[in-house]
Amino acid sequence: MSYSTADSLRPVTLDDVRGAQKMLMGVARVTAMEGSRHLTQLVGSPVHFKCENLQRTGSFKLRGAYVRIAGLLPEERAAGVVAASAGNHAQGVALASALLGVRSTVFMPKGAPLPKISATKEYGAEVRLHGHVVDETLAAAQEYAHETGAVFIHPFDHPDIIAGQGTVGLEILDQCPEVRTIVVGIGGGGLAAGVAVAVKALRPDVRIVGVQAAGAAAFPPSLAAGRPVSIKNPATMADGIKVGCPGEVPFGIVAELVDEVRTVSEDELSAALLLCLERAKLVVEPAGASPVAALLSDPRGFEGPVVALLSGGNVDPLLLNRILRHGMSAQGRYLAVTLRLTDRPGALATLLGVLSVVDANVLDVSHVRTDPRLGLTEAEVELHLETKGPVHCAEVGQALRDAGYTVID
């Protein structure tokens, strides 16, 4: 299965996806399908997770990368391949190249998480750090391809990539033949397009819902315009779907076969990631948790059985820590509050006593006595508290005010 530049816009068919599935035997894992009791209760019908976060390299990206590189002509393989990515595609290209004996160079932004850089190197790629945003990194990789003759491996805008990603759809139908709705995150569109090609060819009755982060949602305006439209400065914690413009090839497929594209907020993404970790014991990155976020935001808006495709689990530990706190805060389980009190012996102990009475667990305390904003006898205290939900947060705030404290925020 090889496509030249001239026919890179060739339609992707079910036969292409089936061919990719044969090619990936023994390479990509058939990842697990896990049920979610909590989401099943919320949605009112069975909800299952398709766990591509447990795929080799930690995401679905290996599938498309391997199929694309395996389809290269001998002279193209000899020239090597090059890619640009902040993480998942980088690792997929690196491992696929190593398995196929092809030299790979991967350009990554200078701010890419260290674990992703290290993993890409360990899979065998030469890593070059360039630029601070993906667009700069992408330009550098394309310039390298032009100068050296290396084949540029696009993360989503190529028929081979889409066919490889579509193998996830075949697995879903095999593992959950009764499925009625598949929910999948969308960045450039390669995964959603591939799944749609496979599923709609075999089960046109299955509804496919794409999900984008609200701060990086290029598909809604693109679908409205009937062509790929760029958005400026996409911003979201879900870097796996932070794409400013859909790909030409996947856009046409998504426009034709995906039934609906929804958006989710950052709060909903962090709450979804927290749910996956707590309830399903699955480490999922924000982009991978986007289908769960969509289910949480409108649980009765999906006909079941539902399969939520968890596309990846590569999350930087530092980011994970911030996201978990954000998710806990969004659920009213983490509260940061700043207040002023009289600076006298025992004042802090008295404050902590008030919190003890309302059963708020103190995680961190910052006590400031010297600041131009404070009066001579004042001190400012910033508290980070573990709480039990929105109602408990309100109770904590009221207890502090009843005790005579001035709550600043």
Side-chain angles (χ1 to χ4, degrees), residues 271-323:
L273 187 148
L274 187 60
L275 182 145
C276 289
L277 188 62
E278 283 192 320
R279 297 300 184 99
K281 316 307 176 190
L282 292 169
V283 177
V284 181
E285 63 189 271
S290 59
V292 178
L295 292 173
L296 289 175
S297 68
D298 181 21
R300 297 294 174 171
F302 299 86
E303 181 185 0
V306 178
V307 171
L309 206 172
L310 309 183
S311 59
N314 292 318
V315 57
D316 178 52
L318 294 177
L319 175 61
L320 179 60
N321 182 50
R322 294 198 298 270
I323 292 171

CSV table of all heavy atoms in Angstrom, one decimal, residues 271-323:
chain,number,residue,atom,x,y,z
A,271,ALA,N,-11.6,17.0,34.5
A,271,ALA,CA,-12.5,16.1,35.2
A,271,ALA,C,-12.5,14.7,34.6
A,271,ALA,O,-12.5,13.7,35.3
A,271,ALA,CB,-13.9,16.7,35.3
A,272,ALA,N,-12.4,14.7,33.3
A,272,ALA,CA,-12.4,13.4,32.6
A,272,ALA,C,-11.2,12.6,32.9
A,272,ALA,O,-11.2,11.4,33.1
A,272,ALA,CB,-12.6,13.6,31.1
A,273,LEU,N,-10.0,13.3,32.8
A,273,LEU,CA,-8.8,12.6,33.1
A,273,LEU,C,-8.8,12.1,34.6
A,273,LEU,O,-8.3,11.0,34.8
A,273,LEU,CB,-7.6,13.6,32.9
A,273,LEU,CG,-6.2,13.1,33.0
A,273,LEU,CD1,-5.3,13.9,32.1
A,273,LEU,CD2,-5.7,13.2,34.4
A,274,LEU,N,-9.3,12.9,35.5
A,274,LEU,CA,-9.4,12.5,36.9
A,274,LEU,C,-10.3,11.2,37.0
A,274,LEU,O,-10.0,10.3,37.8
A,274,LEU,CB,-9.9,13.6,37.7
A,274,LEU,CG,-9.9,13.4,39.2
A,274,LEU,CD1,-8.5,13.2,39.8
A,274,LEU,CD2,-10.5,14.6,39.9
A,275,LEU,N,-11.4,11.2,36.3
A,275,LEU,CA,-12.3,10.1,36.3
A,275,LEU,C,-11.6,8.8,35.8
A,275,LEU,O,-11.7,7.7,36.4
A,275,LEU,CB,-13.6,10.3,35.5
A,275,LEU,CG,-14.6,9.2,35.5
A,275,LEU,CD1,-16.0,9.8,35.5
A,275,LEU,CD2,-14.4,8.3,34.3
A,276,CYS,N,-10.9,8.9,34.7
A,276,CYS,CA,-10.2,7.8,34.2
A,276,CYS,C,-9.2,7.2,35.2
A,276,CYS,O,-9.0,6.0,35.3
A,276,CYS,CB,-9.5,8.1,32.9
A,276,CYS,SG,-10.5,8.5,31.5
A,277,LEU,N,-8.5,8.1,35.9
A,277,LEU,CA,-7.5,7.7,36.8
A,277,LEU,C,-8.1,7.1,38.1
A,277,LEU,O,-7.7,6.0,38.5
A,277,LEU,CB,-6.6,8.9,37.2
A,277,LEU,CG,-5.4,8.6,38.1
A,277,LEU,CD1,-4.4,7.7,37.3
A,277,LEU,CD2,-4.7,9.9,38.5
A,278,GLU,N,-9.1,7.7,38.6
A,278,GLU,CA,-9.7,7.2,39.8
A,278,GLU,C,-10.7,6.0,39.6
A,278,GLU,O,-10.6,5.1,40.4
A,278,GLU,CB,-10.6,8.4,40.5
A,278,GLU,CG,-9.7,9.4,41.2
A,278,GLU,CD,-10.6,10.3,42.0
A,278,GLU,OE1,-11.7,10.7,41.6
A,278,GLU,OE2,-10.1,10.7,43.1
A,279,ARG,N,-11.5,6.1,38.7
A,279,ARG,CA,-12.6,5.1,38.5
A,279,ARG,C,-12.1,3.9,37.6
A,279,ARG,O,-12.5,2.8,37.9
A,279,ARG,CB,-13.8,5.7,37.9
A,279,ARG,CG,-14.5,6.7,38.8
A,279,ARG,CD,-14.9,6.2,40.1
A,279,ARG,NE,-15.6,7.1,40.9
A,279,ARG,CZ,-17.0,7.2,41.0
A,279,ARG,NH1,-17.7,6.3,40.4
A,279,ARG,NH2,-17.5,8.1,41.8
A,280,ALA,N,-11.3,4.2,36.6
A,280,ALA,CA,-10.9,3.1,35.7
A,280,ALA,C,-9.5,2.6,35.9
A,280,ALA,O,-9.0,1.7,35.3
A,280,ALA,CB,-11.1,3.6,34.2
A,281,LYS,N,-8.7,3.4,36.7
A,281,LYS,CA,-7.3,3.1,37.0
A,281,LYS,C,-6.5,3.1,35.7
A,281,LYS,O,-5.6,2.3,35.5
A,281,LYS,CB,-7.2,1.7,37.7
A,281,LYS,CG,-8.1,1.4,38.8
A,281,LYS,CD,-8.2,2.5,39.9
A,281,LYS,CE,-9.2,2.2,40.9
A,281,LYS,NZ,-9.4,3.4,41.8
A,282,LEU,N,-6.8,4.1,34.9
A,282,LEU,CA,-6.1,4.2,33.6
A,282,LEU,C,-5.5,5.6,33.5
A,282,LEU,O,-6.1,6.6,33.8
A,282,LEU,CB,-7.1,4.1,32.4
A,282,LEU,CG,-7.7,2.7,32.2
A,282,LEU,CD1,-8.9,2.8,31.2
A,282,LEU,CD2,-6.7,1.7,31.7
A,283,VAL,N,-4.2,5.6,33.2
A,283,VAL,CA,-3.5,6.9,32.9
A,283,VAL,C,-3.8,7.3,31.5
A,283,VAL,O,-3.4,6.6,30.6
A,283,VAL,CB,-2.0,6.8,33.2
A,283,VAL,CG1,-1.3,8.1,32.9
A,283,VAL,CG2,-1.7,6.4,34.6
A,284,VAL,N,-4.5,8.5,31.3
A,284,VAL,CA,-4.9,8.9,30.0
A,284,VAL,C,-4.5,10.4,29.9
A,284,VAL,O,-4.6,11.2,30.8
A,284,VAL,CB,-6.4,8.8,29.8
A,284,VAL,CG1,-6.8,9.3,28.4
A,284,VAL,CG2,-6.8,7.3,30.0
A,285,GLU,N,-3.9,10.8,28.8
A,285,GLU,CA,-3.6,12.2,28.5
A,285,GLU,C,-4.8,13.0,28.2
A,285,GLU,O,-5.9,12.4,27.9
A,285,GLU,CB,-2.6,12.3,27.4
A,285,GLU,CG,-3.1,11.8,26.1
A,285,GLU,CD,-1.9,11.7,25.0
A,285,GLU,OE1,-1.7,12.8,24.4
A,285,GLU,OE2,-1.3,10.7,24.9
A,286,PRO,N,-4.8,14.3,28.3
A,286,PRO,CA,-6.0,15.1,28.1
A,286,PRO,C,-6.7,14.9,26.8
A,286,PRO,O,-7.9,14.8,26.7
A,286,PRO,CB,-5.5,16.5,28.2
A,286,PRO,CG,-4.3,16.4,29.1
A,286,PRO,CD,-3.7,15.1,28.8
A,287,ALA,N,-5.9,14.7,25.7
A,287,ALA,CA,-6.5,14.5,24.4
A,287,ALA,C,-7.2,13.1,24.4
A,287,ALA,O,-8.3,13.0,23.8
A,287,ALA,CB,-5.4,14.5,23.3
A,288,GLY,N,-6.6,12.1,25.0
A,288,GLY,CA,-7.2,10.8,25.1
A,288,GLY,C,-8.5,10.8,25.9
A,288,GLY,O,-9.4,10.0,25.7
A,289,ALA,N,-8.6,11.7,26.9
A,289,ALA,CA,-9.8,11.8,27.8
A,289,ALA,C,-10.9,12.7,27.2
A,289,ALA,O,-12.0,12.7,27.8
A,289,ALA,CB,-9.4,12.4,29.1
A,290,SER,N,-10.7,13.3,26.0
A,290,SER,CA,-11.7,14.2,25.4
A,290,SER,C,-13.0,13.5,25.2
A,290,SER,O,-14.1,14.1,25.4
A,290,SER,CB,-11.2,14.8,24.2
A,290,SER,OG,-10.8,13.9,23.2
A,291,PRO,N,-13.1,12.2,24.7
A,291,PRO,CA,-14.4,11.5,24.6
A,291,PRO,C,-15.1,11.4,25.9
A,291,PRO,O,-16.3,11.5,26.0
A,291,PRO,CB,-14.0,10.2,24.0
A,291,PRO,CG,-12.7,10.4,23.3
A,291,PRO,CD,-12.0,11.4,24.2
A,292,VAL,N,-14.3,11.1,27.0
A,292,VAL,CA,-14.9,11.0,28.3
A,292,VAL,C,-15.5,12.4,28.8
A,292,VAL,O,-16.6,12.4,29.3
A,292,VAL,CB,-13.9,10.5,29.3
A,292,VAL,CG1,-14.5,10.4,30.7
A,292,VAL,CG2,-13.4,9.1,28.9
A,293,ALA,N,-14.8,13.4,28.4
A,293,ALA,CA,-15.2,14.8,28.8
A,293,ALA,C,-16.6,15.1,28.1
A,293,ALA,O,-17.4,15.7,28.7
A,293,ALA,CB,-14.2,15.8,28.3
A,294,ALA,N,-16.7,14.6,26.8
A,294,ALA,CA,-17.9,14.8,26.1
A,294,ALA,C,-19.1,14.1,26.8
A,294,ALA,O,-20.2,14.6,26.9
A,294,ALA,CB,-17.8,14.4,24.7
A,295,LEU,N,-18.8,12.9,27.2
A,295,LEU,CA,-19.9,12.1,27.9
A,295,LEU,C,-20.3,12.7,29.2
A,295,LEU,O,-21.4,12.7,29.6
A,295,LEU,CB,-19.4,10.7,28.1
A,295,LEU,CG,-19.2,9.8,26.9
A,295,LEU,CD1,-18.5,8.5,27.2
A,295,LEU,CD2,-20.5,9.5,26.2
A,296,LEU,N,-19.3,13.2,29.9
A,296,LEU,CA,-19.6,13.9,31.2
A,296,LEU,C,-20.4,15.2,31.0
A,296,LEU,O,-21.2,15.5,31.9
A,296,LEU,CB,-18.3,14.2,32.0
A,296,LEU,CG,-17.5,13.0,32.6
A,296,LEU,CD1,-16.2,13.5,33.1
A,296,LEU,CD2,-18.3,12.3,33.6
A,297,SER,N,-20.1,15.9,29.9
A,297,SER,CA,-20.8,17.2,29.7
A,297,SER,C,-22.2,17.0,29.3
A,297,SER,O,-23.1,17.9,29.5
A,297,SER,CB,-20.0,18.0,28.7
A,297,SER,OG,-20.1,17.4,27.4
A,298,ASP,N,-22.6,15.9,28.7
A,298,ASP,CA,-23.9,15.7,28.2
A,298,ASP,C,-24.2,14.2,28.2
A,298,ASP,O,-24.4,13.5,27.2
A,298,ASP,CB,-24.1,16.2,26.8
A,298,ASP,CG,-25.5,16.1,26.3
A,298,ASP,OD1,-26.5,15.9,27.1
A,298,ASP,OD2,-25.7,16.1,25.0
A,299,PRO,N,-24.3,13.6,29.4
A,299,PRO,CA,-24.4,12.1,29.5
A,299,PRO,C,-25.6,11.5,28.8
A,299,PRO,O,-25.5,10.3,28.4
A,299,PRO,CB,-24.4,11.8,31.0
A,299,PRO,CG,-24.8,13.1,31.6
A,299,PRO,CD,-24.3,14.2,30.7
A,300,ARG,N,-26.7,12.2,28.7
A,300,ARG,CA,-27.9,11.7,28.1
A,300,ARG,C,-28.0,12.0,26.6
A,300,ARG,O,-29.0,11.7,25.9
A,300,ARG,CB,-29.1,12.2,28.8
A,300,ARG,CG,-29.2,11.8,30.3
A,300,ARG,CD,-29.4,10.3,30.4
A,300,ARG,NE,-29.4,9.8,31.8
A,300,ARG,CZ,-29.7,8.6,32.2
A,300,ARG,NH1,-30.1,7.7,31.3
A,300,ARG,NH2,-29.6,8.3,33.5
A,301,GLY,N,-26.9,12.5,26.1
A,301,GLY,CA,-26.9,12.9,24.7
A,301,GLY,C,-26.3,11.9,23.7
A,301,GLY,O,-26.0,12.2,22.6
A,302,PHE,N,-26.1,10.7,24.2
A,302,PHE,CA,-25.4,9.6,23.4
A,302,PHE,C,-26.2,8.3,23.5
A,302,PHE,O,-26.6,7.8,24.6
A,302,PHE,CB,-24.0,9.4,23.9
A,302,PHE,CG,-23.1,10.6,23.8
A,302,PHE,CD1,-23.1,11.5,24.9
A,302,PHE,CD2,-22.3,10.8,22.7
A,302,PHE,CE1,-22.3,12.6,24.8
A,302,PHE,CE2,-21.5,11.9,22.7
A,302,PHE,CZ,-21.5,12.8,23.7
A,303,GLU,N,-26.5,7.8,22.3
A,303,GLU,CA,-27.2,6.5,22.3
A,303,GLU,C,-26.2,5.4,22.5
A,303,GLU,O,-25.2,5.3,21.9
A,303,GLU,CB,-27.9,6.3,20.9
A,303,GLU,CG,-28.7,5.0,20.8
A,303,GLU,CD,-29.2,4.7,19.4
A,303,GLU,OE1,-29.0,5.6,18.5
A,303,GLU,OE2,-29.9,3.7,19.2
A,304,GLY,N,-26.6,4.5,23.4
A,304,GLY,CA,-25.7,3.4,23.8
A,304,GLY,C,-26.0,2.1,23.1
A,304,GLY,O,-27.1,1.9,22.5
A,305,PRO,N,-25.1,1.1,23.2
A,305,PRO,CA,-23.8,1.1,23.9
A,305,PRO,C,-22.9,2.2,23.2
A,305,PRO,O,-22.9,2.3,22.0
A,305,PRO,CB,-23.3,-0.3,23.7
A,305,PRO,CG,-24.5,-1.1,23.5
A,305,PRO,CD,-25.5,-0.3,22.7
A,306,VAL,N,-22.0,2.8,24.1
A,306,VAL,CA,-21.1,3.8,23.6
A,306,VAL,C,-19.7,3.3,23.8
A,306,VAL,O,-19.4,2.6,24.8
A,306,VAL,CB,-21.3,5.1,24.4
A,306,VAL,CG1,-20.2,6.1,24.0
A,306,VAL,CG2,-22.7,5.6,24.3
A,307,VAL,N,-18.8,3.5,22.8
A,307,VAL,CA,-17.4,3.3,23.0
A,307,VAL,C,-16.7,4.6,23.0
A,307,VAL,O,-16.8,5.4,22.0
A,307,VAL,CB,-16.8,2.4,21.9
A,307,VAL,CG1,-15.3,2.3,21.9
A,307,VAL,CG2,-17.4,1.0,22.0
A,308,ALA,N,-15.9,4.9,24.0
A,308,ALA,CA,-15.1,6.1,24.1
A,308,ALA,C,-13.7,5.7,23.8
A,308,ALA,O,-13.1,4.9,24.5
A,308,ALA,CB,-15.2,6.8,25.5
A,309,LEU,N,-13.1,6.3,22.8
A,309,LEU,CA,-11.8,5.9,22.3
A,309,LEU,C,-10.7,6.7,23.1
A,309,LEU,O,-10.6,7.9,22.8
A,309,LEU,CB,-11.6,6.1,20.8
A,309,LEU,CG,-10.7,5.3,20.0
A,309,LEU,CD1,-10.8,5.5,18.5
A,309,LEU,CD2,-9.2,5.5,20.4
A,310,LEU,N,-10.0,6.1,24.0
A,310,LEU,CA,-8.9,6.7,24.8
A,310,LEU,C,-7.7,6.6,23.9
A,310,LEU,O,-7.0,5.6,23.9
A,310,LEU,CB,-8.7,6.0,26.1
A,310,LEU,CG,-10.0,5.8,27.0
A,310,LEU,CD1,-9.6,5.1,28.3
A,310,LEU,CD2,-10.7,7.1,27.2
A,311,SER,N,-7.4,7.7,23.2
A,311,SER,CA,-6.4,7.7,22.1
A,311,SER,C,-4.9,7.6,22.6
A,311,SER,O,-4.1,7.2,21.9
A,311,SER,CB,-6.5,8.9,21.2
A,311,SER,OG,-6.4,10.1,21.9
A,312,GLY,N,-4.7,8.0,23.8
A,312,GLY,CA,-3.3,8.0,24.3
A,312,GLY,C,-3.1,8.2,25.8
A,312,GLY,O,-4.0,8.7,26.5
A,313,GLY,N,-2.0,7.8,26.3
A,313,GLY,CA,-1.7,8.0,27.7
A,313,GLY,C,-0.4,8.6,28.0
A,313,GLY,O,0.2,8.5,29.1
A,314,ASN,N,0.2,9.3,27.0
A,314,ASN,CA,1.5,10.0,27.3
A,314,ASN,C,1.3,11.4,27.8
A,314,ASN,O,1.2,12.3,27.1
A,314,ASN,CB,2.3,10.1,25.9
A,314,ASN,CG,2.7,8.7,25.4
A,314,ASN,OD1,3.1,7.8,26.2
A,314,ASN,ND2,2.5,8.5,24.1
A,315,VAL,N,1.4,11.4,29.2
A,315,VAL,CA,1.2,12.7,29.8
A,315,VAL,C,2.4,13.0,30.7
A,315,VAL,O,2.8,12.1,31.5
A,315,VAL,CB,-0.1,12.8,30.6
A,315,VAL,CG1,-0.2,11.6,31.7
A,315,VAL,CG2,-0.3,14.1,31.3
A,316,ASP,N,3.0,14.1,30.6
A,316,ASP,CA,4.1,14.5,31.4
A,316,ASP,C,3.7,14.5,32.9
A,316,ASP,O,2.7,15.1,33.2
A,316,ASP,CB,4.6,15.9,31.0
A,316,ASP,CG,5.8,16.4,31.8
A,316,ASP,OD1,6.8,15.6,31.9
A,316,ASP,OD2,5.7,17.5,32.3
A,317,PRO,N,4.5,13.9,33.8
A,317,PRO,CA,4.1,13.9,35.2
A,317,PRO,C,3.9,15.3,35.8
A,317,PRO,O,3.0,15.4,36.6
A,317,PRO,CB,5.3,13.2,35.9
A,317,PRO,CG,5.9,12.4,34.8
A,317,PRO,CD,5.7,13.1,33.5
A,318,LEU,N,4.7,16.3,35.4
A,318,LEU,CA,4.4,17.6,36.0
A,318,LEU,C,3.1,18.2,35.5
A,318,LEU,O,2.3,18.8,36.3
A,318,LEU,CB,5.6,18.6,35.5
A,318,LEU,CG,7.0,18.2,36.1
A,318,LEU,CD1,8.0,19.2,35.5
A,318,LEU,CD2,6.9,18.3,37.6
A,319,LEU,N,2.8,18.0,34.2
A,319,LEU,CA,1.5,18.4,33.7
A,319,LEU,C,0.4,17.6,34.4
A,319,LEU,O,-0.7,18.2,34.7
A,319,LEU,CB,1.4,18.2,32.2
A,319,LEU,CG,0.1,18.5,31.5
A,319,LEU,CD1,-0.3,20.0,31.7
A,319,LEU,CD2,0.1,18.2,30.0
A,320,LEU,N,0.6,16.3,34.6
A,320,LEU,CA,-0.4,15.5,35.2
A,320,LEU,C,-0.8,16.0,36.6
A,320,LEU,O,-1.9,16.1,37.0
A,320,LEU,CB,0.1,14.0,35.3
A,320,LEU,CG,-0.9,13.0,36.0
A,320,LEU,CD1,-2.2,12.9,35.3
A,320,LEU,CD2,-0.2,11.7,36.1
A,321,ASN,N,0.3,16.4,37.3
A,321,ASN,CA,0.0,17.0,38.7
A,321,ASN,C,-0.8,18.2,38.6
A,321,ASN,O,-1.8,18.4,39.4
A,321,ASN,CB,1.4,17.3,39.3
A,321,ASN,CG,1.2,17.8,40.8
A,321,ASN,OD1,0.6,17.2,41.6
A,321,ASN,ND2,1.9,18.9,41.0
A,322,ARG,N,-0.5,19.1,37.7
A,322,ARG,CA,-1.3,20.3,37.5
A,322,ARG,C,-2.8,20.0,37.1
A,322,ARG,O,-3.7,20.6,37.6
A,322,ARG,CB,-0.7,21.3,36.5
A,322,ARG,CG,0.7,21.8,37.0
A,322,ARG,CD,1.1,23.1,36.2
A,322,ARG,NE,1.2,22.8,34.8
A,322,ARG,CZ,2.4,22.4,34.2
A,322,ARG,NH1,3.5,22.2,35.0
A,322,ARG,NH2,2.4,22.2,32.9
A,323,ILE,N,-2.9,19.1,36.2
A,323,ILE,CA,-4.2,18.7,35.7
A,323,ILE,C,-5.1,18.1,36.8
A,323,ILE,O,-6.3,18.4,36.9
A,323,ILE,CB,-4.1,17.8,34.5
A,323,ILE,CG1,-3.5,18.5,33.3
A,323,ILE,CG2,-5.5,17.2,34.1
A,323,ILE,CD1,-3.2,17.6,32.1
